[in-house]
Amino acid sequence: PAADDVRSARGDLVYERHVMWLRYLGAARIGVLSFLAVGAALMDLDRGQDVLLGFYSAGFATCIWYLYELQRASRIGAAQAWIQVLVDFAVVAVTVGYTQGGASFFTFMFVVVVLEAGLLLGLSQGFVLATMAAGFMALQLVLPVTSLDGRARFELVYSLLVQSLAFYLTAFI
């Protein structure tokens, strides 16, 4: 499918033969958002449910907009792709922030966002999102939600290094 796409003069992604892999990407995005929403709903959160609901609603709305535009025009504009990726990044960041920060089991979802950025926007933009994800995770160490002892902090630093490596390696895909 990668051979079927070209950039138009405006920078839009144009798919000459078919748009199925973009539709699969849109469907997968809805699945990922559903996974995040259900996972967060099953957690016993002290706060943030209303904030998470707002971000998940925005995420679902941009997914529907993406699929609508893809069906209507068989193309996705660069601006729309950036909006989609940034909304997805924000949804994952807010979910991680409200579900134990750096210790959250949702941190691996940043890999999905980096992969999405690489597929929709290109290699260098994938690295931009990998850097954003690594920076966000580093902030989770500086601004922890809970107090951490020395061993727990070491484990989170090690986890940050491994995750950052995964983010950047994913950007190569």
Side-chain angles (χ1 to χ4, degrees):
D4 297 336
D5 64 287
V6 295
R7 295 265 178 191
S8 71
R10 292 184 340 183
D12 292 349
L13 296 174
V14 180
Y15 302 89
E16 296 172 342
R17 293 192 186 160
H18 60 83
V19 294
M20 285 310 296
W21 79 272
L22 286 174
R23 288 190 182 124
Y24 292 142
L25 184 64
R29 187 179 295 119
I30 290 173
V32 166
L33 278 169
S34 299
F35 170 79
L36 285 171
V38 169
L42 292 176
M43 296 182 75
D44 186 25
L45 299 177
D46 295 334
R47 59 187 172 77
Q49 294 90 345
D50 52 341
V51 175
L52 288 170
L53 177 63
F55 273 88
Y56 295 152
S57 297
F60 282 116
T62 57
C63 286
I64 292 168
W65 176 46
Y66 168 91
L67 290 170
Y68 171 77
E69 285 298 316
L70 188 60
Q71 180 66 29
R72 187 182 66 78
S74 295
R75 67 178 60 210
I76 298 298
Q80 183 180 11
W82 267 108
I83 290 168
Q84 182 68 56
V85 169
L86 291 175
V87 166
D88 291 347
F89 179 87
V91 166
V92 172
V94 168
T95 301
V96 167
Y98 277 108
T99 58
Q100 302 173 351
S104 173
F105 59 85
F106 291 114
T107 58
F108 75 93
M109 296 305 293
F110 280 119
V111 170
V112 175
V113 176
V114 170
L115 180 61
E116 173 190 14
L119 289 172
L120 285 177
L121 301 168
L123 181 68
S124 60
Q125 291 81 359
F127 277 101
V128 169
L129 267 290
T131 302
M132 289 172 57
F136 178 82
M137 291 308 298
L139 280 175
Q140 296 302 301
L141 290 176
V142 176
L143 307 169
V145 176
T146 59
S147 60
L148 301 171
D149 62 8
R151 179 165 174 76
R153 184 165 302 278
F154 172 78
E155 289 173 359
L156 286 179
V157 169
Y158 180 76
S159 178
L160 170 67
L161 294 174
V162 171
Q163 289 170 347
S164 296
L165 180 63
F167 299 154
Y168 286 107
L169 289 175
T170 302
F172 275 118
I173 295 177

